[in-house]
Amino acid sequence: MTRELATIITAAAALVGTGLGLLLSRTVLKPKLSKSTIKHVVLTKFKADRTAEQIQELIDGYRALTEKIPAMKGFEWGGDVSVEGFQKGYTHVFVSTFDDVAGRDAYLVHEAHKEYAAVLFEGLEDAIVLDYVPTVALSRFYS
C-alpha cells in the first residue's frame, strides 16, 4: 500500500461518525443504485395497546403486498430475538427486496402500498425505514 493511500484511508477512518464522513459516504462512496438490488428495511415499534392478534393482522397485511405489487422480488420478516438489549422497543423487522431503484420506486407509489402503509403506521408508536444496496462479504446460506 502506498503512503498516500494509507493517509487517505486513515483520514477517512477519522471522519467516520462526523458530518464530513456522512457526506463522503453519500457522495464519494455512494454505490451505483440504478442497476443494484435494493433492500427496503422497516423496523417497527407497535403501540402498547396492540394485541398479538392485531399485530399478526398487520404482519399478514404486509405479506399480502407481495401478491399485489410485482416489483417486490423478495420479502421476509421476523420478531426480535436479540439478547443484547439494544432494541429500544423495536420488536419486528420487515425486509423487501427489489431488483433496482425503479422497482423500489414503483412499490412506494403503488396504491396497495400506500393504503397498507396508512394502516400499518396507525398501529405503530414508531418506525425506522431505510433502504440499502447489499454488499455480500460471505454467503454460506445462499450458495
Side-chain angles (χ1 to χ4, degrees):
M1 179 177 343
T2 67
R3 185 165 183 80
E4 293 82 18
L5 181 56
T7 302
I8 291 170
I9 291 171
T10 302
L15 293 173
V16 172
T18 68
L20 186 53
L22 181 61
L23 176 65
L24 281 174
S25 70
R26 292 185 178 190
T27 55
V28 176
L29 306 176
K30 187 174 184 176
K32 293 183 179 184
L33 296 179
S34 62
K35 296 180 182 179
S36 299
T37 297
I38 300 288
K39 299 279 189 173
H40 176 73
V41 179
V42 180
L43 297 171
T44 59
K45 185 186 298 187
F46 289 98
K47 289 181 178 176
D49 64 350
R50 295 304 188 246
T51 66
E53 292 80 19
Q54 290 171 319
I55 291 171
Q56 188 59 52
E57 287 176 13
L58 291 170
I59 292 169
D60 292 344
Y62 209 147
R63 187 210 46 79
L65 291 178
T66 63
E67 299 166 11
K68 300 173 183 175
I69 305 175
M72 293 179 78
K73 301 302 181 184
F75 177 70
E76 55 192 284
W77 74 92
D80 173 52
V81 295
S82 177
V83 297
E84 295 177 285
F86 297 114
Q87 301 87 332
K88 298 183 180 181
Y90 293 90
T91 59
H92 291 77
V93 62
F94 303 90
V95 180
S96 302
T97 303
F98 303 93
D99 284 337
D100 51 28
V101 170
R104 188 268 325 264
D105 292 349
Y107 161 83
L108 292 175
V109 299
H110 195 285
E111 195 59 35
H113 170 260
K114 292 193 291 187
E115 289 173 9
Y116 172 74
V119 172
L120 175 65
F121 279 91
E122 180 61 32
L124 298 180
E125 178 183 326
D126 196 18
I128 297 173
V129 179
L130 60 91
D131 298 345
Y132 72 97
V133 174
T135 300
V136 179
L138 175 64
S139 182
R140 292 184 181 142
F141 295 107
Y142 303 109
S143 57

